[in-house]
Amino acid sequence: MRWPMSPAQRLIADTIRERRRGAIIWILGGAAVMVVMALALESELARFEGGREALAASVQAGAEAMRLLRWPAERLDTLGGYITYHNVTLFAYFLSVYALVQGCRAIRGAETTQVLEPVLATGRPRTAVLLERAIGFGIVLLTIAVGLGAGLTLAMAMGGEPNAVGSFLTAVACGICAFVAYALGVAVSQLIGTARSAAGVVALAVTVLYLLTNIWDRIGALGVIRFVSPFYYFGQSRALVPGHGFSISAAVTSLAMSVALLGLAAWAFERRDVGAPLWVRRPGPLALPTRVQRPALRRLWSAILLRERTGLLVWVISAGFGMGLMAWLEPNVIDVWSKFGFTKNLSAIDPRFSPTDQYLSFAAEILAPILAALVVTRAAAWIADLDQGRVEIILSTPLSWARLVAQRLIALLVEAALVIVGAVAGLVIVAVAVGANVRIVGVLRLAATTYLLAVALGALAALLVAWLRTNVAVTAMSILFGASYVFLLLVLLFGWPDWLAKLSLFGAIGHPYLRAPPVEGLVFLAVLAIVSAAAAAAVAQRSPKVR
């Protein structure tokens, strides 16, 4: 016998059901990465001269030089210490980014899809709706944490250092950290025009908090910012690191921050109009008539750019900021490498390129996953357009399905070009400022090849969206792109033959900052782009206007 569900239980269950696929991906992907890293470390220990202590010393040097990206790094001579530094810290960051996006969509996204109004029409209080959405997502995060804990337990056992309790406590700390980001997303989205714009702003804020927390003891008085960063309190719970444990006080502080942010969000939600932010600039009584038509609205691709201008600006700034930070680390990295003799090893590998060239090449190649993330985000927006009825409206005009696909791709390629320009500008400007020698030819080659990669990924995304027409397409893209990137890392970690790297979408471009990419890789990306775009237009043309 099935018991009838209360309105609160229905909202909680609906939240869980909507995010079940994402939870499964996080669990399987996170567990797989942890297990692979444990096996990789075991393989590296077997080959590394000097054993654990020597390997830990070499990794510690790089960690100190690049602590802006990951910190703290302690007891790297143990599997628990290494996997916490190398994997868990980044997992907490990316899970927080996922959570903040869901927080921005929890209320504002439901308004856009016109799901919220029927719920409120039943008399359900706004605060209750917000709270029930938060409880539902909290259960999703707890499920992800349990799954990640199981993966960590397996990884630790396979690495010869079983620690089930520490594994699950570490995973719970990740979930608590992400829940703070979710609450921040819910709160900020009440103040900003759309859920997408809010997600861009909050993602930038969370990224800055993550980076500054890693170097809080090196930035003087600005280091006080750590006390409002969920990553600082996450760092207090390192249950897998010998000599550390789970900090109850840090967990309580993070949960208190979440409650405070949700309280602020509830206060703003009660005082604003549905579909509008808390503060809306209203025209005065003598305001002149506003011209509705804009030249940018005459074409769909430019109208898309106009609509997404705030989010696009955040993407460009974030890409430039991130690449600039990588360039800013160059002197410290080279200094540490010199002290440990790594620069001699790098020069011996390929004397044509200096250690600075090789470091900048590594930094520049982060642009590829940034573009992949942009493509996935835009594909999710295409699905949202179909869900929210915008596609039906567009196709009621003389615009055909094939032209709609083309216009979307043009908008995406313009966005990709702007993100590349922003990223390259950040890298070059900061690199020159810190005194690094920049290879201009390498920079131009990097921009051209990564743009071709973006074209191929965008066309492939258009095909999957036209074919699947649901969020399954976004899930499939995330898995495909993630697996492709992880496979490339595995080739490097395990020293597999170089030709295997060409089986990865990201491996097709090689190392463009240092040398010309392989011709077969460029041909593969070009063919993939042409075939996928043509297939996307053909499939879409045979599709109904609504789902």
Side-chain angles (χ1 to χ4, degrees), residues 40 43-44 47 487-500:
S43 174
E44 185 68 16
R47 295 183 287 109
F487 178 76
L488 180 62
L489 295 180
L490 291 180
V491 172
L492 300 176
L493 277 174
F494 290 103
W496 292 343
D498 291 341
W499 64 267
L500 285 174

Side-chain angles (χ1 to χ4, degrees), residues 178-408:
F179 192 68
V180 179
Y182 169 85
L184 181 62
V186 177
V188 173
S189 66
Q190 308 302 312
L191 313 176
I192 295 180
T194 66
R196 294 178 187 176
S197 298
V201 172
V202 181
L204 180 59
V206 167
T207 301
V208 170
L209 285 175
Y210 172 78
L211 297 173
L212 294 182
T213 300
N214 290 338
I215 56 172
W216 70 265
D217 56 341
R218 296 185 178 183
I219 55 178
L222 191 59
V224 73
I225 199 173
R226 69 188 185 278
F227 294 116
V228 296
S229 171
F231 302 105
Y232 175 73
Y233 299 104
F234 163 74
Q236 308 303 307
S237 296
R238 284 167 278 158
L240 285 177
V241 182
H244 294 272
F246 183 82
S247 174
I248 296 178
S249 61
V252 170
T253 301
S254 294
L255 291 175
M257 291 170 60
S258 301
V259 171
L261 288 168
L262 290 174
L264 174 63
W267 174 84
F269 189 26
E270 290 285 357
R271 285 159 177 77
R272 67 177 180 82
D273 294 333
V274 173
L278 178 61
W279 295 298
V280 180
R281 186 176 64 181
R282 302 184 185 279
L286 299 179
L288 297 176
T290 301
R291 183 182 178 187
V292 176
Q293 182 65 33
R294 302 185 187 182
L297 298 176
R298 295 172 184 169
R299 296 289 183 273
L300 179 61
W301 68 267
S302 55
I304 293 174
L305 294 177
L306 181 64
R307 187 181 73 180
E308 302 291 343
R309 61 188 181 278
T310 302
L312 176 58
L313 180 62
V314 172
W315 272 100
V316 174
I317 293 175
S318 300
F321 181 73
M323 299 288 278
L325 284 175
M326 292 296 294
W328 179 62
L329 289 172
E330 187 270 341
N332 291 332
V333 173
I334 299 302
D335 181 59
V336 172
W337 282 355
S338 298
K339 290 179 180 178
F340 282 82
F342 293 166
T343 53
K344 295 180 181 179
N345 296 334
L346 290 173
S347 298
I349 294 174
D350 194 334
R352 293 178 299 170
F353 306 111
S354 67
T356 294
D357 288 337
Q358 298 194 45
Y359 172 77
L360 291 179
S361 175
F362 160 75
E365 288 168 21
I366 295 177
L367 179 56
I370 291 176
L371 292 172
L374 175 67
V375 170
V376 171
T377 302
R378 292 303 175 249
W382 297 342
I383 295 294
D385 287 343
L386 186 61
D387 290 339
Q388 296 161 18
R390 281 193 286 267
V391 169
E392 185 177 3
I393 295 173
I394 292 171
L395 293 181
S396 65
T397 69
L399 192 71
S400 65
W401 256 118
R403 289 185 60 195
L404 172 59
V405 171
Q407 293 287 304
R408 282 174 167 176

Side-chain angles (χ1 to χ4, degrees), residues 119-130:
V119 175
L120 297 179
T122 64
R124 196 71 186 152
R126 292 190 179 196
T127 300
V129 172
L130 187 147

